[in-house]
Amino acid sequence: MIKQIKNQTIGDNIFDGIVAILLLLAVLVCVYPFLYVVSVALSSGEAVNKGLVTLLPVDLNLDAMKTVLKYEQLWISYGNTIFYTIVGTILNVAFTCLAAYPLSKRTFCFRKPLNFLLAFTMYFSGGLIPIYIVVTSLGLYNKRLAMLVPVLVSAYNVMICRSAFESISDELFEEAELEGANDFLIMHKIAIPLIKPTLAVLTLYYAVARYNDFFNAMLYISDKKLEPLQLFLRRILLEASTEIMQTTSISMAAASQSTLQVRYVCIVVSVVPIMLVVPFVQKYLVEGTMLGAVKG
C-alpha cells in the first residue's frame, strides 16, 4: 500500500484531491437542506421568524412538533399510506411474479408477442385522460382500489423478474414436472425461492414508489379520509399551510409560530419512517444498483 502511494504521480494526487473535493461538496449539498429543515422544526417560532436559524437549532423548542402531532388528519393520512404501501407492495410483487414467470418460459406459445406488448407499453401509453376515464368508469374514484389497481404492475420490473426466472436452469423445472408438479407449484416452491435477492430489490422499489405516490391520489382521491401522507403534505406545503394552525387547539405561544416552521415539521414527520427503515434495507439498495449489471 505504501509503495502504491509513493508510485503515484503528481497528476494522480491532483485527481484524487479533486475527487475528494467533489465528494465533499456532494455530501454538503445532500445533507445541508435536510439538516436545515430539522433545525427549523426544532427551533423556536421567534428564531425562525427572525431568520436566525442557519445550520443548528436555535432556542430548542418542541411546540411546533406538538402542534403538528395533535392534528388528527396527519395520523389518518399516515394510516392510509401504511395501508397503500403494505397492501400495494404485496400485490405488486405477486402480480409481477405471475406476469414474469410465464414470459420466461421458452415453451409458452404467446411469449414473443406478449414480451413485445410489454416493452411497447414502456414507450407508448394511452395518455393520462384515457386512463382517468377508465378508472372513473370502473367506479374506482374515491376508492382505495384507485391507489392499487392503476399501478399494479411495472413493465420494467416485470422484465427484471423475467430475466431472473430465465437464469434458473431448465433441468430443475423438467425434474419437477416429471414428479407431477404443476406450473403454480413449480413457481411457488422452486422459482421464487431461487430469485429472492431480485424480489427483495423489486419489493424495495415498489415500496418506495408506493410511499411517495401522490399523483394518483391527486387524480382519484378527493376524500380526506382516504388521502395518503404525501397528498396531505403537498396540501400543507402548497395550498393550505395554515390549515393545522387553524384547526388545532393550540396555545398563544404556538399560534405565533410561522407557517414555514409548521411546513418543515410536517416534512420531518413524513421522513421519519424512511429513516427508520433505510438501515435495514441498505444492503438491498446496494444490490439494486448492481441489478442487471454485466458479470465478469
Side-chain angles (χ1 to χ4, degrees):
M1 184 67 181
I2 297 176
K3 290 182 179 180
Q4 290 179 354
I5 295 176
K6 290 182 178 179
N7 292 333
Q8 283 186 336
T9 63
I10 297 177
D12 293 333
N13 294 331
I14 294 175
F15 177 78
D16 292 342
I18 293 174
V19 171
I21 293 173
L22 292 177
L23 181 60
L24 180 61
L25 290 175
V27 171
L28 292 176
V29 168
C30 294
V31 173
Y32 176 75
F34 180 73
L35 183 60
Y36 176 75
V37 169
V38 174
S39 298
V40 171
L42 298 179
S43 300
S44 65
E46 182 179 357
V48 173
N49 291 330
K50 291 182 178 180
L52 301 178
V53 182
T54 55
L55 181 62
L56 299 177
V58 178
D59 297 333
L60 187 64
N61 193 305
L62 299 179
D63 287 342
M65 186 72 68
K66 294 177 182 177
T67 299
V68 172
L69 294 180
K70 289 179 181 178
Y71 189 50
E72 183 180 2
Q73 182 60 40
L74 171 67
W75 300 109
I76 294 175
S77 299
Y78 244 123
N80 291 331
T81 290
I82 292 173
F83 173 81
Y84 296 141
T85 301
I86 295 177
V87 176
T89 301
I90 293 173
L91 292 176
N92 283 142
V93 174
F95 279 86
T96 297
C97 290
L98 291 174
Y101 180 73
L103 293 177
S104 68
K105 306 292 287 183
R106 296 179 178 84
T107 56
F108 182 45
C109 58
F110 298 110
R111 181 173 183 261
K112 288 185 177 180
L114 289 179
N115 277 326
F116 170 77
L117 293 175
L118 182 67
F120 185 84
T121 62
M122 296 179 63
Y123 301 98
F124 304 97
S125 67
L128 179 60
I129 294 177
I131 294 174
Y132 179 82
I133 293 174
V134 170
V135 172
T136 54
S137 299
L138 292 174
L140 298 181
Y141 188 79
N142 263 342
K143 300 289 180 59
R144 291 187 184 274
L145 287 176
M147 292 293 294
L148 304 176
V149 175
V151 288
L152 196 58
V153 171
S154 166
Y156 177 75
N157 289 342
V158 170
M159 289 183 174
I160 292 177
C161 191
R162 181 195 64 192
S163 299
F165 281 133
E166 288 176 346
S167 65
I168 301 175
S169 175
D170 292 335
E171 285 75 10
L172 289 175
F173 297 140
E174 293 174 358
E175 291 179 5
E177 290 175 355
L178 292 175
E179 295 293 333
N182 57 33
D183 287 327
F184 284 101
L185 187 61
I186 294 174
M187 181 182 69
H188 176 64
K189 295 293 185 180
I190 298 177
I192 290 180
L194 291 175
I195 64 166
K196 281 184 178 179
T198 300
L199 291 182
V201 175
L202 295 182
T203 300
L204 180 62
Y205 286 170
Y206 277 126
V208 172
R210 290 288 188 178
Y211 187 85
N212 291 326
D213 185 18
F214 77 92
F215 188 71
N216 286 317
M218 189 170 59
L219 291 177
Y220 309 125
I221 302 295
S222 61
D223 187 354
K224 290 185 178 181
K225 294 181 180 179
L226 299 177
E227 71 175 13
L229 180 63
Q230 300 303 326
L231 186 59
F232 164 79
L233 184 62
R234 177 184 180 276
R235 191 176 71 252
I236 294 300
L237 294 179
L238 301 179
E239 299 177 5
S241 58
T242 59
E243 176 181 336
I244 295 178
M245 308 294 289
Q246 294 173 351
T247 58
T248 309
S249 181
I250 56 177
S251 63
M252 293 298 293
S256 64
Q257 296 164 357
S258 66
T259 56
L260 176 66
Q261 188 177 21
V262 173
R263 294 175 183 178
Y264 283 7
V265 171
C266 291
I267 294 174
V268 173
V269 172
S270 66
V271 171
V272 167
I274 298 298
M275 294 179 62
L276 296 177
V277 171
V278 164
F280 299 99
V281 299
Q282 186 175 3
K283 63 178 182 179
Y284 298 119
L285 287 172
V286 176
E287 291 180 9
T289 60
M290 300 299 295
L291 199 61
V294 178
K295 295 183 179 179

